[in-house]
Amino acid sequence: MAFGRLTAIISIALAASQTARAALTKRVTCATGQVTANAACCKLFPIVQQIQTDLFDGGECGEEAHSALRLSFHDAIGFSIHGGKGGGADGSILIFNSTELAFHANGGIDDITARQFPVFQETGLTAGDFVHLAAAIGTANCPGAPRLQFMFGRPPPKAPAPDLTVPEPTDSVTSILARFADAGFSPSEAVALLSSHTIAAADVVDVTIPGTPFDSTVGTFDTQVFLEVLLKGKLNGSQPGEVLSPLAGEMRLQSDFAISQDSRTACLWQDMVNNQKLMMTNFKAAMAKLQVLGQKNLIDCSDVVPVPQVLNTPIKFPASFSRADVQVACKASPFPNNIATVAGPAPTVAPVPGS
């Protein structure tokens, strides 16, 4: 009985605490009908709709959404915690595109900057706010993605980022981890950011096959890429920056494979396999950090970002593949043993439309 009374008292106290916190959280109803935590965010709701219409075909997880996410990374990673490597998440890649698009690592993003620039000019946002809002919106269009944070109020960029701030697929794991560390990211956060490759495709690693996906489910934000990078390769892989891939029509980046096999990152990579919650949590946290690099005094307008569709379908081995095809590099923990295989012959992965 005493235990029951104590439980009831605790429940009442918790409820009262939650009610008090809710009362302290002011909500604002915008003129357009949406509700937000800050009146300054109201102006963003029509812009979100404009971006969905003009850039993402009404809300699709297509080539433009994938590229918008890539553009935000290439913009923000131009930063160093030691200084001297750019303004971070400031939109310099959009404003100073004639400079930054000439960098080798930025090959293939000229299309998305060209698509975004006229829309950006219509919105009245700063370049940094536009680039990182577009990335959050585009990612939200992909089933399984986390709802990314969006912080509002970046000033205009002052100068282009310098060259050699974006890691390339031909770089060594040591070089890649050092570049991330210079920007303030741990190896775990670096692997988390590579979750973006689940909806990514390559245009310039091999220019003869543009739009080549990195996994067989490019339209969903799932852990399939972490699985398929570990499968034994036998196809493609003739260009610098790529290695043999397991599936026809799919590309495996040299850097992804190296990170999946390196003792410093192999277990971090394997932990993502078939763990949707972990991938979503880690990616959201790493992106929240990435998208404010070099910025301060921002307003949290995350509630303007659309809510992504929940993904409940578990990943599977592609048809004709099984646990026997996995190149296991993590010795500290067992590989997940509950992954089924798609029935039928080995598939050919289609290129991303619009690439």
Side-chain angles (χ1 to χ4, degrees), residues 205-206 208-209 235-245 251-252:
V205 175
D206 185 342
T208 67
I209 48 171
L235 300 164
N236 309 323
S238 62
Q239 300 298 317
E242 66 171 332
V243 294
L244 294 175
S245 65
M251 180 175 291
R252 176 157 49 191

Side-chain angles (χ1 to χ4, degrees), residues 6-338:
L6 178 61
T7 301
I9 291 170
I10 291 174
S11 297
I12 292 170
L14 287 173
S17 175
Q18 291 168 354
T19 301
R21 284 198 298 269
L24 291 173
T25 303
K26 296 181 180 179
R27 306 295 292 173
V28 177
T29 300
C30 304
T32 50
Q34 293 95 341
V35 178
T36 178
N38 193 308
C41 306
C42 285
K43 66 177 291 185
L44 296 176
F45 286 105
I47 293 174
V48 169
Q49 188 56 52
Q50 180 183 2
I51 290 173
Q52 286 283 45
T53 301
D54 293 349
L55 285 181
F56 303 136
D57 300 317
E60 293 187 1
C61 179
E63 168 64 14
E64 290 78 13
H66 312 161
S67 297
L69 180 56
R70 183 187 179 205
L71 187 68
S72 72
F73 172 76
H74 283 236
D75 177 59
I77 203 64
F79 179 80
S80 170
I81 57 176
H82 306 292
K85 285 199 172 77
D90 60 358
S92 66
I93 201 164
L94 197 60
I95 294 297
F96 301 103
N97 58 73
S98 60
T99 298
E100 295 195 31
L101 293 184
F103 303 160
H104 185 267
N106 288 337
I109 61 174
D110 51 331
D111 286 346
I112 190 61
T113 53
R115 284 289 308 275
Q116 286 194 3
F117 200 83
V119 182
F120 150 67
Q121 289 181 307
E122 292 175 0
T123 63
L125 298 178
T126 64
D129 281 343
F130 182 87
V131 166
H132 297 285
L133 177 59
I137 297 168
T139 302
N141 292 336
C142 300
R147 190 188 194 191
L148 297 182
Q149 172 183 283
F150 175 68
M151 304 297 287
F152 180 43
R154 295 166 182 79
K158 296 178 180 179
D163 199 359
L164 305 179
T165 61
V166 181
E168 298 207 54
T170 52
D171 292 343
S172 68
V173 176
T174 296
S175 175
I176 291 170
L177 294 182
R179 176 75 274 272
F180 274 107
D182 183 46
F185 292 91
S186 68
S188 178
E189 290 170 325
V191 172
L193 287 171
L194 290 174
S195 301
S196 62
H197 287 182
T198 185
I199 56 168
D203 289 326
V204 297
V205 175
D206 185 342
V207 296
T208 67
I209 48 171
T212 307
F214 298 147
D215 75 16
S216 58
T217 57
V218 71
T220 55
F221 202 99
D222 57 21
T223 70
Q224 196 75 31
V225 69
F226 289 102
L227 173 64
E228 292 180 12
V229 164
L230 292 173
L231 299 179
K232 294 175 182 176
K234 54 188 176 181
L235 300 164
N236 309 323
S238 62
Q239 300 298 317
E242 66 171 332
V243 294
L244 294 175
S245 65
L247 297 174
E250 181 176 289
M251 180 175 291
R252 176 157 49 191
L253 292 179
Q254 175 185 317
S255 52
D256 282 358
F257 182 65
I259 289 170
S260 79
Q261 301 296 300
D262 190 277
S263 61
R264 293 164 290 183
T265 47
C267 291
L268 297 170
W269 188 278
Q270 181 179 288
D271 287 346
M272 297 288 198
V273 175
N274 208 27
N275 193 335
Q276 182 74 13
K277 183 177 180 180
L278 178 67
M279 183 187 73
M280 291 172 64
T281 300
N282 289 3
F283 180 70
K284 180 173 183 173
M287 282 296 295
K289 185 173 178 178
L290 178 82
Q291 292 191 306
V292 296
L293 287 180
Q295 309 303 307
K296 58 184 179 180
N297 301 323
L298 302 181
I299 300 168
D300 189 348
C301 288
S302 301
D303 50 16
V304 309
V305 178
V307 178
Q309 178 184 333
V310 175
L311 187 67
N312 294 316
T313 306
I315 66 168
K316 294 182 179 181
F317 284 108
S320 80
F321 287 85
S322 69
R323 170 66 178 77
D325 297 298
V326 177
Q327 300 169 100
V328 176
C330 175
K331 308 303 181 185
S333 58
F335 189 83
N337 60 6
N338 58 341

